[in-house]
Amino acid sequence: MKRGFFITFEGPEGAGKSTQVGLLLEHFRQKGLPVTATREPGGTELAEKIRAVVKGHDGAERMHPETELLLMEAARSQHVREFILPRLEQGVSVICDRFSDSTTAYQGGARGLCRAEIAFLNDFAAAKLVPDVTFLLDITPESGFARTRTRSETAGEFDRFEAERIEFHRKVRRCFLELAASEPDRVRVIDADRDPQSVHADIVRIADEFLV
Ligand SMILES: Nc1ncnc2c1ncn2[C@@H]1O[C@H](COP(=O)(O)OP(=O)(O)O)[C@@H](O)[C@H]1O
Ligand SMILES: [Mg+2]
């Protein structure tokens, strides 16, 4: 049986990842392709518990960047083995909202942890799984936050990453763009500061050429 495609979406909060994951999922379904969508950190019961710990931590005790990194990798390790790999092997394509590149950008580019150590841990957690294609939804932190501010306020959820200063998010963006420059075949940069249908059209053009 033909293995499924593994497609990831990356980019900052408010870039439109969840929106575009949903649109691409629907596109594949209409083509009759077996497909599912998931997210990181999370995607299994255990990994979603880790997500709540890492995102919602109240700061009463400092969460060290190393701890944050290992929690992200622990969630990924579970998600890859429990959810993603079995589906790919069954011929189901998997679309994932964030994956290893987010760890490189947030814990590496922004928190400043060693990139070689992160690369090793990413490989270890992902069982060396690499996306067939990664869509980097690129947008300035200012535009991204203009979209999410109301979302977090209305949801009343505290998110340690959204709460970081603008300079942190500039570093995240810079690191994502560096990753795209170093792996241009895999990581495709999409201008996300446009209406959702224009962004989706670019993604579909690449997805159809690469994957179907
Ligand atoms: N291309 C777009 N233009 C304007 N608003 C958008 C666009 N894509 C998504 N949104 C809106 O912006 C907010 C964040 O989008 P979302 O898909 O949740 O982003 P992410 O998952 O990257 O944080 C949502 O309210 C969504 O409806
Ligand atoms: Mg989202």
Side-chain angles (χ1 to χ4, degrees):
M1 182 189 283
K2 195 168 174 292
R3 194 179 155 102
F5 297 112
F6 183 46
I7 301 154
T8 59
F9 280 78
E10 299 284 4
E13 289 307 314
K17 297 180 299 299
S18 303
T19 304
Q20 296 300 327
V21 165
L23 291 171
L24 188 62
L25 184 70
E26 196 45 43
H27 173 77
F28 279 179
R29 283 198 175 131
Q30 276 173 12
K31 293 192 135 203
L33 230 82
V35 64
T36 188
T38 185
R39 70 169 181 184
E40 288 211 342
T44 79
E45 200 182 323
L46 178 54
E48 289 287 336
K49 285 184 188 162
I50 300 172
R51 178 191 181 94
V53 168
V54 78
K55 293 198 95 164
H57 181 63
D58 65 7
E61 173 183 337
R62 180 182 179 214
M63 185 183 290
H64 293 267
E66 292 81 357
T67 308
E68 180 182 277
L69 169 63
L70 290 170
L71 287 171
M72 292 296 189
E73 300 294 8
R76 175 163 307 125
S77 162
Q78 187 67 17
H79 187 214
V80 165
R81 287 162 182 79
E82 180 70 19
F83 186 92
I84 300 177
L85 285 177
R87 280 162 185 77
L88 294 177
E89 277 152 23
Q90 289 160 9
V92 178
S93 291
V94 176
I95 305 175
C96 193
D97 186 335
R98 294 197 182 281
F99 198 62
S100 298
D101 297 318
S102 276
T103 310
T104 306
Y106 284 77
Q107 281 72 48
R111 298 258 192 248
L113 294 177
C114 169
R115 295 279 288 269
E117 287 170 350
I118 292 176
F120 173 82
L121 289 170
N122 277 344
D123 272 1
F124 179 78
K128 299 204 183 297
L129 175 67
V130 177
D132 296 296
V133 64
T134 296
F135 295 108
L136 171 55
L137 302 187
D138 183 47
I139 195 164
T140 63
E142 288 84 353
S143 301
F145 279 120
R147 290 177 183 174
T148 58
R149 200 157 290 131
T150 43
R151 178 179 68 186
S152 315
E153 279 165 11
T154 46
E157 280 174 4
F158 174 72
D159 182 311
R160 287 173 50 248
F161 296 97
E162 289 189 32
E164 283 288 347
R165 300 147 66 92
I166 199 85
E167 187 49 37
F168 177 90
H169 296 283
R170 292 206 179 97
K171 288 179 188 164
V172 168
R173 183 185 187 204
R174 207 174 304 134
C175 187
F176 272 137
L177 290 171
E178 282 167 21
L179 278 170
S182 68
E183 290 183 74
D185 290 342
R186 174 177 71 86
V187 184
R188 309 297 294 259
V189 182
I190 308 287
D191 174 6
D193 205 356
R194 295 174 298 153
D195 67 279
Q197 284 306 329
S198 304
V199 175
H200 176 60
D202 280 7
I203 289 167
V204 161
R205 206 170 300 123
I206 294 167
D208 283 351
E209 132 205 345
F210 261 71
L211 308 169
V212 191

